[in-house]
Amino acid sequence: CFFTLILDHSLFSCSCPKNFLLFVKTLLQAAFFPLPFEVLENDFVLQFQKIGVNAQHFTNKRRLHHTSFLWDFSHEMMSLLKHPEKTPTYRQGRDHNSFCTPLKPHFASKEEFLRKIEHSLCEHFEIFQKCILEVEILLLTPHFNFLRLLEDIQ
């Protein structure tokens, strides 16, 4: 499950990644109630187990947060992953299967999880539904693109 939030800087002026992560946590808190949803170091966790991978990007005018939530995964495939050199302190040497947990057992369905995220965001923002065609049209309009192929940089 992918979650991406793009905010105007006026809604969150600080450019500190940890503070922004804590801010996003408050926005999502209701979606996880009554689960013990917390931030540990730079991760969203349930009971000391990582539930997603986060990325952030800050510009002068925008704040972007993205989480790839771990909806479900194969424990067999997770056991093939090597232990990374750099790990958060709370990992305490655990393998991937002990360190990470999927969200699937905690929600009736992925749709319910996404609905809870939407309702949680509605507590803080006015949400407008858009059809995919409206979004595709926006992508065709001129906009700042900060992704470049390495060939273009030379």
Side-chain angles (χ1 to χ4, degrees):
C1 275
F2 300 122
F3 170 78
T4 302
L5 180 69
I6 303 171
L7 295 178
D8 185 85
H9 74 288
S10 64
L11 295 171
F12 189 84
S13 59
C14 177
S15 60
C16 171
K18 179 69 173 212
N19 289 345
F20 192 45
L21 185 64
L22 292 169
F23 173 74
V24 173
K25 181 215 177 234
T26 64
L27 299 178
L28 297 176
Q29 189 74 53
F32 286 91
F33 182 82
L35 299 171
F37 177 60
E38 296 295 335
V39 169
L40 280 180
E41 297 182 40
N42 297 311
D43 298 326
F44 289 138
V45 299
L46 293 178
Q47 297 177 332
F48 299 99
Q49 289 184 293
K50 188 173 183 169
I51 58 170
V53 180
N54 299 314
Q56 296 177 343
H57 182 74
F58 297 86
T59 68
N60 288 339
K61 295 184 179 185
R62 300 281 184 267
R63 307 291 183 253
L64 181 142
H65 174 88
H66 174 81
T67 299
S68 296
F69 283 110
L70 297 170
W71 177 252
D72 197 13
F73 55 80
S74 161
H75 289 278
E76 183 180 333
M77 296 301 277
M78 283 291 244
S79 66
L80 298 175
L81 296 173
K82 293 181 179 180
H83 194 89
E85 288 181 28
K86 185 178 176 185
T87 63
T89 306
Y90 78 95
R91 183 171 182 149
Q92 298 178 330
R94 293 179 287 169
D95 65 17
H96 282 81
N97 282 311
S98 300
F99 176 60
C100 301
T101 189
L103 290 176
K104 186 176 181 180
H106 302 285
F107 295 91
S109 67
K110 191 184 293 186
E111 291 72 26
E112 180 208 21
F113 174 61
L114 295 174
R115 208 170 24 259
K116 284 187 169 197
I117 286 180
E118 182 180 350
H119 288 227
S120 188
L121 292 173
C122 284
E123 293 178 9
H124 304 276
F125 304 108
E126 189 173 0
I127 305 291
F128 299 95
Q129 295 285 333
K130 296 289 183 183
C131 75
I132 193 69
L133 291 175
E134 290 176 283
V135 175
E136 287 175 346
I137 289 169
L138 288 175
L139 291 174
L140 295 173
T141 61
H143 62 282
F144 177 72
N145 184 355
F146 60 89
L147 300 176
R148 287 181 269 167
L149 294 175
L150 290 177
E151 297 166 352
D152 296 340
I153 295 174
Q154 298 174 4

